[in-house]
Amino acid sequence: MTREKFLPVSKEDMEKRGWDELDFIIVTGDAYIDHHSFGTAIIGRVLENEGYKVGVIPQPQWKDVEDFKKLGKPRLGFLVNAGNMDSMVNHYTVSKKLRDKDFYSPGGKMGLRPDRATIVYCNKIREAYKNVSVIIGGVEASLRRFAHYDYWSDKVRKSMLIDSGADLLVYGMSEKQIVEVARNLENGVEAKNIRDVKGTCYVVENLEDVKDEYVLIPSYKEICKDKIKYAEAFKAQYEEQDPVIGKPIVQQHANKYVVQNKPEMPLTREELDKVYNLPYTKNYHPMYEGLGGIDAIEEVKFSIVSSRGCFGSCSFCAITFHQGRIVQSRSEESILKEAEEITKLEDFKGYIHDVGGPTANFRRPACSKQLKFGACKNRQCLYPSPCKNLDADHTEYLELLRKVRKVPNVKKVFVRSGLRYDYIMADKEDKFFKELVEHHVSGKLKVAPEHICPEVLKYMQKPAGKTYDKFIDKFYKTTEEVGKKQFVVPYLMSSHPGSTIKSAIKLAEYLRDINYMPEQVQDFYPTPGTLSTTMFYTGLDPLTMKEVYVPKTKHEKAMQRALLQYKDPKKYTLVYEALVEAKREDLIGFGPKCLIKPRKGENNFEGKKRTSNSKGKSQKEKLDTKKFKNKPKVNDSKFKGKDDFKNKSKKSGNVKSKKRR
C-alpha cells in the first residue's frame, strides 16, 4: 500500500501532489487508519470529495509546537479530535489504572496521546498560530459539549468548547455539518461566527445573539453547587436531542453562553452510501509497518458497517447522544460491493466477521413516525416493553445476509456486533432467528442482558430477565434443531446505579445455576454523556428525580465484581465479605447451591476429606445438607424448566469475552 493513496501526512506528500498549502489539517489522537470505521478517515475523505485539500497530523508530539507546524498553516482551519475513543477512557480502566495497551497506536504503545487530548491539541495549535480557525469534534468533544461530570477528576468540568478555546464544536457523526462549515469558511465567515449550522455548538456573550427559540438549562456554576440542578440540566439535554422536535439548548459559563443548535438530520440511505463508497484504502498508513502496525484495524478489516444510530437507549451507552435514536442504514448494493472488495484483500480467509452497527439487527427507524414527528420524549422504543408502534421486522436484514453469503469466495458471514434479543423476540416471524443460529453464529453468540435483577434493569433501561430467558431457551432449542453445538456468551455489568450487594448476589446465583463463569467482568464506567453517569454523580434518576442507590466505594465495587467471578480463588475474600455483609452465609458451604466453601476451621470441616458414598454424594455434602437444613433456602423457582439450558451451558466452560466497544 503506497502512501500516495492516503491523505498527506508530511510536506513531502504535499509536494508530490503539487500542493504548497492545505485547506484543512486534521489533528487526531489516533494513528492514521484510512478506514470508514474511523472518524478522521471519514471526515478527511468527505472534505476531499468536496474538492478541499486535506492533510492529517496523527498523534503529534504535544510537548512542543513543532509537530503542529509540520504541514504549515491551513488556509481554512484545523479540525481536532481525540480519536475514536475519549482519551481518558483510552488511557484508564474503570479503577483509574493506566491501561497496558493502546489498540489505536502503533505496536499498541501507550503514551502517544495526552490526557484530554482535544484540549491539549487546541492549546498547542494556538501557540503555533495566533490567528487560525480551530474546530473540534469526535466522540470526546461531542459527549462533553455541555458542562459535565468528569469521573477521572471527580468533579464537574466546563463544556469542552470553553476549556479548549476552540471556535466551534461539531457533534454527532458530522459529515453534513463539516461540509456546511467548510462552505461558510470558504465564504469568509469566521469560525466563531458560524451559528446557523445544525449539529454544532458555539459561544456567545449575549443571549440576544441566539436567534431561535431555545431551552435555557442550569448554568455551570449552578450544577457545580447543586446535584439536583445537574440532574435537571441533563434531563433537558436528554429530551432535546431529536433532530425533528429538539430545540437549541443554552448553558451559561461565567460571562459566556454555550449554545447547542438542534441535531442534524440523519443521512439518507443515498447519502450514507456515498460516504461509505469513498476511496478508503481500508488500512493503516504504511509509516506504521515497521512499528508493529495498528491493532484496531484487525477488528474491522473484514467487517462491514451496515447501519448507524440506535433506538435501544441503554442508560449506560452514549450512542443515542452521539449518533441519535433514528437508525440509518446503507443500501444492499453498497454493502455487497464492499463485501466483494473484502474478498480481494490479500489476507482474506473467506470469513466476513460482521455485518452490523451499534445494534446489528436494526436496519430502519423504530417506527414510521420518527422521521416525520421525531422520537418520543416520554417513551422508549423497547423499554420497559416494545412499543405498540415498533416495526419489529428482520426481513430486509435477513435478505442482506443471504446475499452476502452468496458473494463468491465468502465461506461464512458472522454477526458479532450487538444484537437486541428483545427486538428479535418481538418479531412475529422466526425466519431470521433460525438463519441467524444456522449460518451466522461463530460458535458463540454474544448478547448483553447486563443483569437479571429488575431493580437494576429498570435503571439500565434494559428488558426484564424473562425476555432473556425465553431468548436463551429458543436459542438452544433452535441450535439443537439445526444440529449444531453453539453457546450464548452474556455480557454482564457490575456496580451499575441501582445495584446493591444483594443484587450482585442474585446475579452470582444466576451464574451458578447456568454454570457460566465470565473470565472478564464489565464494571460500570461513568463516561460523559450518559444517563447512568448522571445517576452515578447525583444519586438521582434525572428522568424521575427520585433517589437511586449508587455503589461508589472501591471496596463495594470490588465485591460486586468479585461475586460475578466467585469461583476465582483470588476473589474468595471479597466474595466471603460480601456474603457475610448481606447475611447470606447460607451460600457459604459445600452444598450444591453454595457459592464458596467455608474458611479453614469453620463448620468443623477442618482436616476432613471428601469421600464419595454409594449415591455419589461426599460425606461433607451430607453433613452440609444436614447442617443447613433449617437455614433459608435459595429460591430457585425462577430457574425451573432450564435443565436443558444448564446442561448445554456446562459445555461452554469459561469464555473470554471481548472488550465492549
Side-chain angles (χ1 to χ4, degrees):
M1 189 70 69
T2 59
R3 60 189 299 142
E4 288 79 11
K5 293 186 178 182
F6 292 78
L7 299 175
V9 296
S10 67
K11 279 284 190 180
E12 291 76 16
D13 292 341
M14 291 168 59
E15 289 168 3
K16 287 180 180 179
R17 296 192 181 204
W19 298 351
D20 56 8
E21 182 184 50
L22 294 167
D23 296 319
F24 290 102
I25 296 174
I26 302 176
V27 178
T28 178
D30 285 345
Y32 176 28
I33 304 176
D34 188 35
H35 186 284
H36 55 59
S37 291
F38 301 86
T40 292
I42 287 182
I43 296 304
R45 292 298 184 184
V46 165
L47 287 170
E48 178 189 51
N49 189 63
E50 293 292 324
Y52 295 100
K53 298 173 184 177
V54 185
V56 182
I57 301 178
Q59 298 188 320
Q61 292 290 335
W62 70 91
K63 300 294 175 66
D64 56 49
V65 300
E66 293 310 308
D67 255 12
F68 297 88
K69 292 181 176 180
K70 68 181 182 180
L71 297 182
K73 182 180 178 180
R75 184 174 68 91
L76 297 176
F78 280 96
L79 308 176
V80 180
N81 70 72
N84 259 28
M85 293 174 66
D86 185 287
S87 59
M88 301 303 286
V89 177
N90 177 277
H91 281 173
Y92 302 101
T93 67
V94 65
S95 56
K96 301 183 183 180
K97 294 179 180 178
L98 194 65
R99 296 190 190 276
D100 297 324
K101 194 171 184 180
D102 183 348
F103 290 92
Y104 296 89
S105 294
K109 187 177 179 180
M110 290 293 293
L112 296 183
R113 82 185 85 208
D115 285 358
R116 300 185 177 86
T118 303
I119 296 173
V120 175
Y121 293 159
C122 288
N123 289 337
K124 287 300 175 183
I125 290 169
R126 293 294 189 203
E127 274 187 55
Y129 303 103
K130 299 300 179 185
N131 299 308
V132 68
S133 294
V134 179
I135 298 152
I136 58 175
V139 169
E140 182 167 270
S142 182
L143 300 183
R144 295 171 180 262
R145 56 191 185 264
F146 296 104
H148 56 280
Y149 171 69
D150 183 85
Y151 172 66
W152 304 272
S153 60
D154 193 28
K155 67 178 185 180
V156 176
R157 291 183 66 96
K158 298 174 184 176
S159 162
M160 186 157 276
L161 185 55
I162 298 290
D163 273 348
S164 67
D167 297 303
L168 191 69
L169 185 155
V170 180
Y171 69 90
M173 298 303 282
S174 304
E175 293 96 345
K176 283 185 177 180
Q177 298 98 299
I178 203 62
V179 172
E180 284 195 56
V181 168
R183 289 172 180 165
N184 272 272
L185 293 170
E186 187 74 68
N187 291 331
V189 182
E190 291 186 58
K192 64 183 179 181
N193 293 326
I194 298 174
R195 297 175 179 176
D196 58 353
V197 177
K198 293 178 181 177
T200 63
C201 298
Y202 59 92
V203 176
V204 296
E205 293 185 1
N206 299 299
L207 283 176
E208 292 76 16
D209 293 332
V210 184
K211 299 175 184 178
D212 299 322
E213 180 186 352
Y214 58 83
V215 175
L216 182 65
I217 64 175
S219 69
Y220 167 68
K221 183 178 181 180
E222 288 177 304
I223 69 173
C224 285
K225 292 181 176 180
D226 188 340
K227 291 184 177 181
I228 293 176
K229 291 292 184 183
Y230 186 104
E232 290 174 354
F234 181 84
K235 183 180 181 182
Q237 297 165 33
Y238 188 80
E239 291 179 343
E240 300 299 338
Q241 295 307 316
D242 186 85
V244 180
I245 58 176
K247 295 177 182 176
I249 302 173
V250 178
Q251 185 177 51
Q252 185 176 7
H253 286 65
N255 61 343
K256 296 180 180 180
Y257 297 88
V258 172
V259 183
Q260 177 200 273
N261 286 330
K262 67 189 297 183
E264 179 59 87
M265 284 295 292
L267 299 182
T268 64
R269 179 162 287 187
E270 293 73 20
E271 289 170 333
L272 202 59
D273 283 354
K274 185 178 178 181
V275 168
Y276 283 87
N277 289 341
L278 293 171
Y280 308 96
T281 61
K282 308 279 181 72
N283 211 337
Y284 53 76
H285 195 281
M287 64 182 169
Y288 303 119
E289 200 61 59
L291 301 173
I294 313 297
D295 287 340
I297 190 66
E298 299 305 319
E299 187 71 20
V300 298
K301 192 172 185 179
F302 304 115
S303 298
I304 300 172
V305 176
S306 64
S307 63
R308 282 184 183 177
C310 182
F311 52 78
S313 300
C314 300
S315 300
F316 49 81
C317 180
I319 287 175
T320 52
F321 204 59
H322 186 62
Q323 294 190 5
R325 282 174 65 182
I326 300 176
V327 172
Q328 316 115 63
S329 60
R330 293 165 63 187
S331 71
E332 192 178 89
E333 293 75 21
S334 174
I335 291 170
L336 290 173
K337 178 176 178 288
E338 184 173 356
E340 290 170 3
E341 290 171 355
I342 287 175
T343 64
K344 296 173 185 176
L345 294 175
E346 188 177 342
D347 49 350
F348 180 67
K349 306 296 183 185
Y351 301 97
I352 302 287
H353 294 170
D354 191 20
V355 179
T359 300
N361 53 326
F362 290 174
R363 283 277 296 166
R364 61 175 73 181
C367 68
S368 58
K369 297 180 178 181
Q370 280 190 343
L371 288 174
K372 186 176 181 180
F373 301 106
C376 301
K377 283 188 178 183
N378 58 353
R379 179 70 166 89
Q380 296 297 332
C381 304
L382 284 167
Y383 177 83
S385 59
C387 176
K388 64 179 181 180
N389 295 319
L390 180 70
D391 185 10
D393 186 350
H394 290 84
T395 304
E396 184 182 327
Y397 187 46
L398 179 57
E399 286 299 318
L400 172 64
L401 291 173
R402 285 172 175 171
K403 290 183 179 179
V404 177
R405 292 203 310 256
K406 292 179 181 178
V407 171
N409 299 318
V410 171
K411 297 176 184 177
K412 286 281 186 180
V413 180
F414 298 122
V415 177
R416 289 183 176 175
S417 51
L419 284 166
R420 281 296 294 235
Y421 59 86
D422 47 348
Y423 185 72
I424 292 175
M425 297 303 288
D427 191 343
K428 296 177 182 178
E429 296 284 339
D430 279 344
K431 291 179 183 178
F432 171 73
F433 196 107
K434 184 173 181 181
E435 291 201 26
L436 172 72
V437 172
E438 188 171 6
H439 296 290
H440 304 293
V441 177
S442 57
K444 304 179 184 89
L445 180 66
K446 296 169 185 174
V447 293
E450 305 296 355
H451 217 283
I452 53 93
C453 297
E455 64 269 22
V456 182
L457 291 168
K458 75 175 181 179
Y459 292 116
M460 293 180 164
Q461 294 193 152
K462 295 284 285 186
K466 289 182 180 178
T467 305
Y468 178 67
D469 292 342
K470 290 176 182 177
F471 173 82
I472 291 296
D473 289 340
K474 190 172 183 177
F475 175 84
Y476 283 111
K477 181 181 178 182
T478 307
T479 295
E480 188 173 346
E481 288 173 355
V482 299
K484 293 203 169 191
K485 291 183 178 180
Q486 299 178 145
F487 311 100
V488 171
V489 178
Y491 279 127
L492 300 167
M493 186 181 293
S494 63
S495 303
H496 187 275
S499 177
T500 62
I501 289 293
K502 289 183 178 180
S503 306
I505 291 172
K506 287 180 184 177
L507 185 52
E509 290 183 273
Y510 178 77
L511 292 172
R512 172 203 66 201
D513 290 337
I514 67 172
N515 197 40
Y516 173 73
M517 198 56 49
E519 287 192 5
Q520 293 180 336
V521 173
Q522 176 69 38
D523 200 2
F524 169 65
Y525 203 154
T527 55
T530 72
L531 179 61
S532 298
T533 298
T534 299
M535 293 184 208
F536 177 87
Y537 172 61
T538 65
L540 300 169
D541 179 350
L543 303 184
T544 64
M545 298 308 289
K546 293 181 179 179
E547 290 187 5
V548 53
Y549 177 79
V550 178
K552 280 195 173 183
T553 67
K554 286 185 178 180
H555 191 63
E556 181 179 358
K557 288 165 72 70
M559 286 195 294
Q560 290 207 26
R561 188 166 57 248
L563 281 162
L564 273 63
Q565 297 174 303
Y566 63 86
K567 287 185 179 180
D568 185 347
K570 296 177 182 177
K571 308 289 172 59
Y572 180 90
T573 299
L574 286 168
V575 174
Y576 186 94
E577 287 180 36
L579 294 176
V580 171
E581 181 178 311
K583 299 181 180 179
R584 290 301 307 272
E585 291 92 341
D586 56 302
L587 297 176
I588 304 172
F590 296 96
K593 295 293 184 183
C594 292
L595 298 180
I596 56 173
K597 297 176 183 178
R599 285 173 164 169
K600 282 186 177 182
E602 293 182 358
N603 295 338
N604 297 319
F605 289 127
E606 177 72 13
K608 292 183 184 251
K609 295 181 180 179
R610 298 194 71 181
T611 55
S612 297
N613 61 15
S614 59
K615 293 184 179 180
K617 284 189 176 181
S618 70
Q619 294 296 324
K620 280 187 178 181
E621 284 175 326
K622 292 175 72 178
L623 287 166
D624 182 69
T625 302
K626 183 177 180 180
K627 183 175 181 65
F628 289 99
K629 68 180 181 179
N630 295 321
K631 294 276 185 180
K633 293 184 178 179
V634 178
N635 180 10
D636 62 347
S637 61
K638 67 184 289 183
F639 300 108
K640 280 186 179 180
K642 295 206 169 32
D643 290 339
D644 188 50
F645 175 35
K646 294 177 196 174
N647 293 335
K648 289 183 173 67
S649 296
K650 286 178 183 178
K651 300 175 185 177
S652 65
N654 289 341
V655 181
K656 188 172 183 179
S657 58
K658 288 186 178 180
K659 176 183 166 187
R660 195 185 268 100
R661 283 183 290 175

